[in-house]
Amino acid sequence: MYKIKGWYPVRDQMSGCSFNIVLTQEWKDAVSQSGLNQEKIDNLIHNMGADILKNHGYGNIETDPKFWLRVKWGEWGCEHISVPGNACGLDIDTSYGFGVYEGEVSLSPHNVDSINQASMILTLFLKIADVLESEVWQRKDEQQ
């Protein structure tokens, strides 16, 4: 459903912790059949965001975690992910590149400068991937 490409963190270097997440057609199909939507993603961030931030060194956050962690939901699911930093995150990229084939898209980085930023992005993405994969498994199980 997805591939993580180019992960090789380099400490203390601009964009030293960037990577791409390639989303396949199987991922897009899972999103289209999913019960996930923007409201549910916002609820996930509201419920888990403070722990994600705390576990990545952001201590006590007084405001709703949605102001620090953002996921924009669309046709490909998480089409934008941002975390604390200088405009740090991943955005949907429909151009073909390294490891991205026809019918696929990638979430491409901007300003991912620290392992903590990369880890927060991966934490959010992988939590969503777990939900989608669970739904796919459940649908297959119900069809048997």
Side-chain angles (χ1 to χ4, degrees), residues 31-144:
V31 167
S32 72
Q33 297 172 28
S34 175
L36 289 176
N37 57 30
Q38 186 67 56
E39 180 181 1
K40 289 180 181 176
I41 295 299
D42 289 345
N43 286 338
L44 179 139
I45 293 170
H46 177 76
N47 292 327
M48 298 182 66
D51 283 338
I52 292 169
L53 290 162
K54 179 182 173 190
N55 291 328
H56 287 87
Y58 283 87
N60 294 329
I61 301 298
E62 298 289 326
T63 58
D64 191 316
K66 290 187 300 189
F67 294 107
W68 294 85
L69 304 171
R70 292 188 185 103
V71 174
K72 180 182 173 219
W73 197 254
E75 178 182 13
W76 284 90
C78 39
E79 295 185 356
H80 169 79
I81 300 171
S82 64
V83 299
N86 182 17
C88 173
L90 298 179
D91 281 311
I92 195 95
D93 182 356
T94 58
S95 61
Y96 300 121
F98 173 70
V100 183
Y101 302 107
E102 188 173 342
E104 299 177 338
V105 299
S106 70
L107 293 171
S108 297
H110 48 88
N111 301 327
V112 182
D113 299 326
S114 74
I115 291 174
N116 276 353
Q117 290 171 330
S119 180
M120 283 186 284
I121 290 168
L122 284 170
T123 299
L124 287 166
F125 175 81
L126 292 171
K127 180 51 72 180
I128 292 165
D130 286 347
V131 172
L132 288 174
E133 289 175 329
S134 295
E135 289 178 344
V136 168
W137 178 85
Q138 185 176 9
R139 280 190 298 277
K140 286 180 182 177
D141 188 56
E142 289 170 354
Q143 291 173 355
Q144 293 180 0

Side-chain angles (χ1 to χ4, degrees), residues 7-37:
W7 173 243
Y8 186 82
V10 179
R11 290 181 65 95
D12 303 322
Q13 180 177 322
M14 288 292 274
S15 296
C17 294
S18 64
F19 55 92
N20 285 17
I21 301 174
V22 178
L23 306 176
T24 67
Q25 186 63 46
E26 183 183 12
W27 174 275
K28 186 177 181 184
D29 294 343
V31 167
S32 72
Q33 297 172 28
S34 175
L36 289 176
N37 57 30

